[in-house]
Amino acid sequence: MQMGKLKALVPMVLVYVILLVIGLTVPGMWQPVVYFMFYVALGQAFNIFLGLTGYVDFGYVAFLGLGAYGMAIALQNFAHLGLVAIPIGIVLAVIMSVLLSMAVGAVALRLRGAYFAIATIGVNEGFRFLLVGTKLWGGSEGIVLSGFMRKAFGREIANYLSTFVSDLLLFLVAFLAALTTVVILNKKMGYALLALREDEDAARVMGINVTKYKIMAFITSAAFAGLIGAIAWTLKLTYVFPEDVFNIHYTVEAIVIVMLGGAGTLIGPMIGGLIYGVLKYYLSVIFPGVQLLILAPLLIVTIVAFPEGVAGYLIKKTRNSKLAEYLR
């Protein structure tokens, strides 16, 4: 891939650096910045499938949940190995999420549109009831890791992992998801996905193996979801409860972020994640208890004003200008 095509990453890297500087230098801003970055990373990961294919996956949070459990299982069983348990947890989280995505994708991706969305709704709920009903991995009691981590790593390192290292890793995951999107968009896979998003039947007639590319995007997106679950939930919070990690509202939030920022664009999920995260955080601080009542109409107004997403509007307005190669 030509280096010039990586220019689209420049605005994103600048924003990440600015957020890092704000978080590290402004007192009390580190946790809010990480909160915003969670939604940016979630949007970047979900955009690889929703944005590039147009398919809405309501079971997406199941991949985050399995990733969270992958890290929890690794820390629970390999903490005695020291910090090696963390890369083991990351690998296990990705493997578990990918295996689930292959199983779900093999069946659900044979369907289209609303039928696909309906087929995926029950995935996260099914997993939650499976864990609780069979008491697998602690059942409804979940897995609490604070004791394992303090015993294995020491109190200071355990605190450092959950309050700083996990946050930095979240920045890295958000960047890697964006980089993956750029690579896909500039490869045959990207053109195939955009063709099937516009007209799947026409793409198939043109000889594009749409099923193969849909599954590839589905698995890639799920792998990043597993990473986010492992890092932003398990490593940071040091516990995993099925009621929390399989909650469908995270999927709804991911859909809102991608549509708000601009589906299929590179900077859209970052813009959408920042708008959503900042509004949700500060409304909850200023108007506690009624923040969602205020947030919903604000999001509706934004989506009505920018039907192609905020990024879609910016890209359209800067077309044929020097800024165009930095906005995608």
Side-chain angles (χ1 to χ4, degrees):
M1 188 173 63
Q2 296 176 355
M3 292 300 293
K5 294 181 178 177
L6 294 178
K7 285 183 178 178
L9 287 171
V10 172
M12 189 171 304
V13 173
L14 285 175
V15 171
Y16 290 176
V17 171
I18 291 170
L19 287 173
L20 268 174
V21 171
I22 292 173
L24 292 171
T25 58
V26 180
M29 279 303 295
W30 180 249
Q31 289 308 317
V33 163
V34 173
Y35 182 81
F36 307 152
M37 279 306 299
F38 169 75
Y39 288 113
V40 171
L42 183 63
Q44 292 285 9
F46 195 46
N47 186 51
I48 294 173
F49 182 68
L50 169 62
L52 300 184
T53 67
Y55 278 61
V56 181
D57 175 13
F58 278 101
Y60 194 65
V61 74
F63 304 133
L64 281 93
L66 267 194
Y69 270 100
M71 177 62 83
I73 292 168
L75 290 174
Q76 191 178 40
N77 293 282
F78 301 108
H80 63 281
L81 298 177
L83 294 175
V84 177
I86 293 175
I88 293 175
I90 289 173
V91 172
L92 190 58
V94 172
I95 291 174
M96 290 172 67
S97 301
V98 165
L99 288 177
L100 177 63
S101 68
M102 291 170 68
V104 174
V107 178
L109 285 174
R110 297 175 186 275
L111 306 171
R112 294 190 193 180
Y115 298 103
F116 172 81
I118 292 169
T120 57
I121 284 176
V123 175
N124 43 296
E125 286 300 297
F127 248 88
R128 183 167 67 85
F129 284 115
L130 175 67
L131 296 187
V132 172
T134 61
K135 297 184 179 179
L136 181 65
W137 302 330
S140 60
E141 296 178 358
I143 301 175
V144 180
L145 297 157
S146 51
F148 287 100
M149 293 177 67
R150 282 199 301 269
K151 187 176 179 182
F153 308 138
R155 183 181 296 275
E156 288 188 6
I157 294 178
N159 289 338
Y160 190 65
L161 286 171
S162 61
T163 57
F164 189 68
V165 174
S166 60
D167 300 337
L168 283 183
L169 288 175
L170 190 58
F171 274 83
L172 179 61
V173 171
F175 174 74
L176 290 177
L179 180 61
T180 302
T181 305
V182 172
V183 172
I184 290 174
L185 285 172
N186 288 287
K187 296 287 185 183
K188 183 180 176 182
M189 178 180 172
Y191 297 113
L193 289 172
L194 295 179
L196 82 86
R197 188 183 67 179
E198 295 302 320
D199 190 329
E200 187 167 339
D201 290 326
R204 198 183 297 275
V205 170
M206 291 168 63
I208 297 173
N209 188 341
V210 293
T211 303
K212 181 181 81 172
Y213 290 116
K214 278 192 296 186
I215 290 176
M216 289 170 66
F218 194 63
I219 291 173
T220 306
S221 181
F224 278 107
L227 282 174
I228 295 170
I231 291 166
W233 286 347
T234 306
L235 195 59
K236 182 167 182 62
L237 302 177
T238 69
Y239 62 80
V240 182
F241 296 131
E243 293 288 341
D244 295 336
V245 297
F246 291 109
N247 194 323
I248 196 171
H249 85 263
Y250 290 108
T251 299
V252 177
E253 287 183 316
I255 294 170
V256 170
I257 289 167
V258 172
M259 301 307 291
L260 186 64
T265 63
L266 179 62
I267 61 167
M270 182 190 72
I271 295 174
L274 286 176
I275 292 174
Y276 185 83
V278 169
L279 283 176
K280 187 177 178 184
Y281 179 80
Y282 284 106
L283 286 175
S284 66
V285 173
I286 300 169
F287 305 104
V290 294
Q291 67 270 23
L292 294 180
L293 195 62
I294 302 171
L295 178 63
L298 286 176
L299 294 176
I300 291 171
V301 168
T302 307
I303 290 174
V304 170
F306 304 101
E308 296 176 356
V310 177
Y313 174 82
L314 293 174
I315 291 170
K316 198 172 179 181
K317 286 294 179 184
T318 57
R319 192 168 293 160
N320 301 322
S321 70
K322 289 185 178 179
L323 281 174
E325 59 187 1
Y326 293 97
L327 297 177
R328 187 167 181 181

